[in-house]
Amino acid sequence: MRAVRLILIALVAFSLISSASAQSLPGGFVYLRDIDPSIIQDIRYATSNNFVGRPLAGYGAGECVVKREVGLRLKAVQQELAAQNLSLKMFDCYRPARASLDMVKWSQNGHETAAERRYNPNIPKTELFRLGYIANRSQHSTGAALDLTLVDLKADNSAKYDPSKTYADCTAPVAMRAPEGSVDMGTGYDCTDAKGHTAVTSINPEQRTWRKRLVAAMARQGFVNYSKEWWHFSLPGAGGAAYDFPIQPRRN
């Protein structure tokens, strides 16, 4: 009996060690859910709902992983927004370096589908890197860059993306675009078009106001917006080396 008990104890210990190692993160990284579970997550590169049309290499789970300082500052932004019945919604956080290489291969595969063109209706995908919309070496891989938007918690956000439907491109009116469960920023997420530039004037006043509110809320915690993408922010000084560890499921 004692031998059986020892075996059971050993198995439990092994299970705990395996579970811990499966979710261990290097270099001061954390799961954002452990910092602030109220922040909405829709990690698009872990799904087929993105410009590549499939999960990217390294995205084994739809979890936002960031450097701890970044997570704490996002929590502060969220606390401010909560008083306004708003929430952050994360589209991408830490990005394994292999995912950026996956994007490079995608851009060079020699064809573009109609679904892909929804994201870059006016620019050939072979030009996206040269024009600065996608980087070979992404700041996301340092854990200090983020893609995000705002959600109005009082609005009806129930509409979901349906892969069987044909949607208009990312610059079309919001009712024609793929639903994102967020406020109307004038374009969809990852829209590689001039209308996706943060300060563009060819969107309506309400859309410009939403962009300004997002930029201002993030700036109060030190985040800097990338001018060609209203959704992209980074925290200067919080990055460092690029990483390539895969994103794995978070365990409680």
Side-chain angles (χ1 to χ4, degrees), residues 28-101:
F29 284 87
V30 295
Y31 287 95
L32 181 60
R33 237 179 267 278
D34 290 334
I35 300 291
D36 191 336
S38 75
I39 297 176
I40 301 167
Q41 297 189 30
D42 180 12
I43 307 303
R44 298 277 288 275
Y45 298 144
T47 74
S48 61
N49 184 17
N50 58 59
F51 64 88
V52 177
R54 57 170 172 76
L56 288 177
Y59 282 82
E63 289 287 348
C64 175
V65 173
V66 291
K67 285 292 184 70
R68 179 174 294 277
E69 180 185 0
V70 173
L72 292 173
R73 292 188 186 226
L74 286 173
K75 180 181 178 71
V77 175
Q78 181 77 347
Q79 289 174 337
E80 176 188 335
L81 293 174
Q84 306 166 52
N85 286 308
L86 298 172
S87 173
L88 291 174
K89 184 175 194 175
M90 313 305 299
F91 288 131
D92 194 33
C93 302
Y94 159 73
R95 180 185 304 165
R98 71 190 74 179
S100 294
L101 294 177

Side-chain angles (χ1 to χ4, degrees), residues 6 11 43 66 80 97 103 130 151 183 187 210-212:
L6 289 173
L11 288 173
I43 307 303
V66 291
E80 176 188 335
M103 291 180 181
R130 183 181 67 82
V151 174
V183 302
T187 75
W210 279 121
R211 291 189 186 190
K212 289 177 182 177

Side-chain angles (χ1 to χ4, degrees), residues 84-86 151-157:
Q84 306 166 52
N85 286 308
L86 298 172
V151 174
D152 181 353
L153 297 175
K154 304 186 304 297
D156 179 3
N157 299 305

Side-chain angles (χ1 to χ4, degrees), residues 100-115:
S100 294
L101 294 177
D102 203 0
M103 291 180 181
V104 173
K105 293 178 182 177
W106 165 83
S107 74
Q108 298 171 347
N109 67 13
H111 68 272
E112 290 185 80
T113 67

Side-chain angles (χ1 to χ4, degrees), residues 45 50-53 56 59 92 95-108 112 116 119-120 123-141 147 189-193 197 226 228-229 231-232:
Y45 298 144
N50 58 59
F51 64 88
V52 177
L56 288 177
Y59 282 82
D92 194 33
R95 180 185 304 165
R98 71 190 74 179
S100 294
L101 294 177
D102 203 0
M103 291 180 181
V104 173
K105 293 178 182 177
W106 165 83
S107 74
Q108 298 171 347
E112 290 185 80
E116 290 172 354
Y119 292 88
N120 52 304
I123 303 171
K125 70 181 187 181
T126 54
E127 293 290 290
L128 297 179
F129 289 86
R130 183 181 67 82
L131 295 174
Y133 288 106
I134 306 176
N136 289 297
R137 298 179 180 177
S138 175
Q139 204 174 5
H140 281 275
S141 298
D147 293 342
Y189 166 56
D190 256 355
C191 189
T192 49
D193 187 87
H197 296 189
Y226 176 47
K228 287 189 174 183
E229 298 175 347
W231 55 86
H232 181 96

